[in-house]
Amino acid sequence: MAAGHVETAPSMGQVEFNGYLIEQMISEHELHVITQRLADEIYRDFKGKDLLLIGILKGANLFLGDLARELGRGNAEIGRPPMPVELDFLQVSSYEQETSTHNVRKHIDISTEIKDRNVLLVEDILDTGHTLTWIKEQLKDREPKSLSVCVMLDKPERREVFLKPEYTGKIIPNKFVIGSGLDFNQQFRNLPYVGVVIGPSQSRTVAV
Ligand code: 5GP
Ligand code: MG
């Protein structure tokens, strides 16, 4: 630790990151187990078929990377062979800080032609459902062969429009979570687990 840095140890289940105290909700290990199970489910449904994963930036970037790797690795324990997929991304925004505005805007479109292809939308978290509903409508017009949704996390209590993902990593309570791609004001995305910000940490730098 740097000289002059005074730190109070966080309590059990809490971690310091970027000057904040974070309560861990889903560990790295659990995220890995979840992602492997999702890859098994996706393989079961798409084995031998063409599949394009579309990650919704920026939040789904880390989850999409983990999921694509799991598909590519296979799962020896259940005899699942590696499954090749293609990747693309689109970027939308619909969130102002902690409040969903329902005002979805597209910033970056996919560069892949999806007509007659199996498309799997990959998203970090499903909340009110407005973002994914809007994206699905846009993509349906391009006539994919199939269009399904995989979310790392789901907060069904918050739903305002009906949407049931084909693949769900974990259902969580109505809390604003950060980490594993999820941000608060663009911070905390590279936290390797999912957690909740409790408040500023006791860490401070003192003049020496
Ligand atoms: P929806 O349109 O379903 O309300 O919102 C989906 C988007 O809102 C997600 O892709 C994510 O960017 C953001 N969002 C919803 N809930 C949370 C949350 O708990 N934490 C973070 N960081 N973003 C969230
Ligand atoms: Mg998002």
Side-chain angles (χ1 to χ4, degrees), residues 79-106:
R80 167 168 66 80
M83 176 177 171
V85 291
E86 283 182 39
L87 308 179
D88 205 338
F89 299 90
L90 60 82
Q91 183 170 11
V92 296
S93 69
S94 63
Y95 236 64
E96 296 291 334
Q97 300 205 343
E98 285 193 45
T99 322
S100 181
T101 61
H102 305 173
N103 184 11
V104 186
R105 274 173 309 169
K106 186 162 18 169

Side-chain angles (χ1 to χ4, degrees), residues 56-60 92 94 123-125 131 182 189:
I56 302 167
L57 296 173
K58 300 175 189 172
V92 296
S94 63
E123 175 63 310
D124 49 8
I125 190 164
T131 308
L182 290 153
R189 288 195 199 274

Side-chain angles (χ1 to χ4, degrees), residues 36-37 39-40 70-82:
Q36 197 173 47
R37 193 239 317 142
D40 293 344
E70 283 309 321
L71 287 164
R73 180 179 295 120
N75 183 353
E77 271 180 41
I78 62 161
R80 167 168 66 80

